Amino acid sequence: MPDFKLAVDKNNKATELALLRVCGTVQQNPHMRAFWASTISFFLAFLGWFALAPLALEVATSMGTCENQLYPPEDNPKRVAYLKYKSLKTGKAYCQYGKNDDTNPTDCNPVPQDILASGTADEKMQYRPGVLADCVCTPGTECKDIIANAGVAAVASTIFVRIALGTLLERFGPVNVQSGLMTFGAFWVAMAAAITAPWNYTLIRFFIGCAGATFVTNQFWCSLMFSPNVVGTANATAAGWGNLGGGVTQIFMISVLFNPMVSSGMPANTAWRVAMIVPAVLFLICAATMKLLCWDTPTAKRFDVSVTGKTQKPSLWDYVVVLKDIRVIVMIFQYSACFGTELAMNNQLATHFRTYFQMDAADASALAGAFGLMNLFARSLGGITSDILFKYVGFRGRIWAQFLALFFEAVFLFCFGMVDSSQPWYVALAVLICFSLFVQMAEGTSYGIVPFMNKQQLAVVSALVGACRNLGAVIAGFCFYKPINDPLLPFQVHAGYVVLGFAVPLLLLAGAWGHVPRPSCG
């Protein structure tokens, strides 16, 4: 047996997760090299995947798709987006004397006769275009629809790539697949600097979304390296710290790159384009490093399907075999309820805080980033909770952990949808943090379950569950956030979708896992 830096079981899988034990050659420490490579690559993939989200209004301005660019208020004073607009900073509304209908306005109320007779020039203004934001992109506008469509495209493409990865991982191994995805993603992240119109904005976000498939490799690779007693924690931590990129990018792209560039005198139209080059370069560095320094398995540079006990060559029929298992179907749909929700939030939150709460870019990105930053510990907490309950209660303990995390995710998502702009920003932040905690925990408890389902088809199971999590984001984008012309109602409807569609069926079908044995911890 090789002299590994970590304690291993009879299959050479690590029985401990020693995060700081990174010394030694690849032969001595393949486990932690794989852990950190899968984590960092997934982190960077998330950083690039959602880099355009906090820059959405800057991109919209560059494309000329803001409502006040398409329909100048001087020529189109009765646009609904204008009639409903009120500045939270000044308290001034576009309609100085109110609108003719609070719900569905068609015009502002006319100036009172006494004001016309003796008022100042400002008081005689029926419309006040000066109070409008630089880029009006509120619900119901073409600008909002363009951003929503691009957001859906960014998560939709990943579905197909992730499904394909089940076979690709078995054919080429984690290192080659992950390096290839990062290289492909680097090209399209860099191409974002050339966005000029809605069609190429949507197209580029679609192709950037392919980098999101790095999650499948992240989970499959860790499952090959860590034993059952610690795989839940390893998978949850690797994925959680990778997902952290979705929060970091909200702050990184605005406060670290865009704002300093603008402050130094660079035009905003140029600054956001230059900022997109940075994650592209990081993608390429990561791809090269993985290829040169990592192995697929504890004892072999390249993966062989026999490691999982599989005797047949990978084929498309594997997907049919896996989908016959009701447990896989349940996991697919419940995972789309938690991680699909996180993807939807990564697309929505920064713009929500900027348009509804009228925050500046830096403050909005900081609050949106807080949601993703909970991945620092919350997803690991879910994995650890799942492992502990498994140890003392058996496999049903993992199911209960999953159910409770999903249930409270839905509760706090609904509460977030109840926080209106009249309340202080810290109320929204407090509810958002609680919501994020349970979203990330649900993701961690999910991959405490996946490694125990059809171990011979582990790559395909990981691919299907990982792919269909994006389905939740696509459904949320098209069914809730795009068509509902209200800033808060989509969050409330989304919450009902989570708890009624997934949490309850998961508990009812818990018996399907009842036969899974408790593994030894040796």
Side-chain angles (χ1 to χ4, degrees), residues 99-112:
K99 43 190 181 287
N100 60 4
D101 188 304
D102 288 337
T103 306
N104 298 300
T106 57
D107 198 357
C108 294
N109 290 330
V111 181

Side-chain angles (χ1 to χ4, degrees), residues 33-179:
R33 287 198 182 201
F35 173 84
W36 283 112
S38 63
T39 301
I40 293 171
S41 59
F42 188 37
F43 174 91
L44 291 176
F46 248 81
L47 189 113
W49 190 5
F50 292 102
L52 284 168
L55 295 167
L57 296 189
E58 284 69 33
V59 177
T61 302
S62 295
M63 294 188 297
T65 56
C66 299
E67 185 79 352
N68 37 351
Q69 291 176 309
L70 295 172
Y71 306 99
E74 293 79 9
D75 301 326
N76 303 272
K78 299 180 182 181
R79 299 290 298 179
V80 174
Y82 304 154
L83 300 179
K84 291 184 176 182
Y85 194 89
K86 180 180 180 180
S87 172
L88 297 181
K89 290 183 178 180
T90 64
K92 294 181 178 180
Y94 174 79
C95 291
Q96 183 161 200
Y97 299 100
K99 43 190 181 287
N100 60 4
D101 188 304
D102 288 337
T103 306
N104 298 300
T106 57
D107 198 357
C108 294
N109 290 330
V111 181
Q113 290 299 318
D114 59 326
I115 299 296
L116 286 175
S118 59
T120 64
D122 287 341
E123 291 174 335
K124 293 179 181 179
M125 294 178 62
Q126 182 181 9
Y127 310 106
R128 292 192 289 194
V131 307
L132 297 174
D134 293 336
C135 178
V136 176
C137 196
T138 50
T141 62
E142 185 175 338
C143 171
K144 183 69 173 180
D145 286 346
I146 290 170
I147 292 174
N149 288 336
V152 171
V155 295
S157 60
T158 316
I159 296 175
F160 307 107
V161 180
R162 287 186 177 188
I163 291 175
L165 244 57
T167 299
L168 292 175
L169 281 168
E170 292 184 339
R171 287 185 180 273
F172 302 106
V175 172
N176 286 330
V177 169
Q178 198 79 330
S179 298

Side-chain angles (χ1 to χ4, degrees), residues 36-38 40-42 44-45 174-187 211 214 221 279-296 302:
W36 283 112
S38 63
I40 293 171
S41 59
F42 188 37
L44 291 176
V175 172
N176 286 330
V177 169
Q178 198 79 330
S179 298
L181 283 172
M182 295 300 285
T183 303
F184 179 82
F187 173 79
T214 50
W221 204 356
V281 173
L282 295 176
F283 272 38
L284 292 175
I285 294 173
C286 180
T289 302
M290 280 191 298
K291 183 67 177 174
L292 294 173
L293 300 179
C294 298
W295 280 10
D296 286 342
R302 293 291 168 258

Side-chain angles (χ1 to χ4, degrees), residues 63 65 142 146 150 195-203:
M63 294 188 297
T65 56
E142 185 175 338
I146 290 170
I195 290 172
T196 57
W199 72 268
N200 54 42
Y201 172 51
T202 303
L203 182 69

Side-chain angles (χ1 to χ4, degrees), residues 17 28 105 122 127 164 223 240 255 322-323 361 365 383 461 488:
L17 182 62
Q28 296 173 322
D122 287 341
Y127 310 106
S223 296
S255 298
V322 167
L323 287 171
S365 64
V461 173
L488 297 177

Side-chain angles (χ1 to χ4, degrees), residues 163 167 315-326 328-329 454 457 460-461 464:
I163 291 175
T167 299
S315 69
L316 292 177
W317 184 252
D318 294 340
Y319 292 93
V320 178
V321 173
V322 167
L323 287 171
K324 291 180 180 179
D325 188 343
I326 185 62
V328 176
I329 301 296
N454 199 334
Q457 301 282 7
V460 176
V461 173
L464 283 171

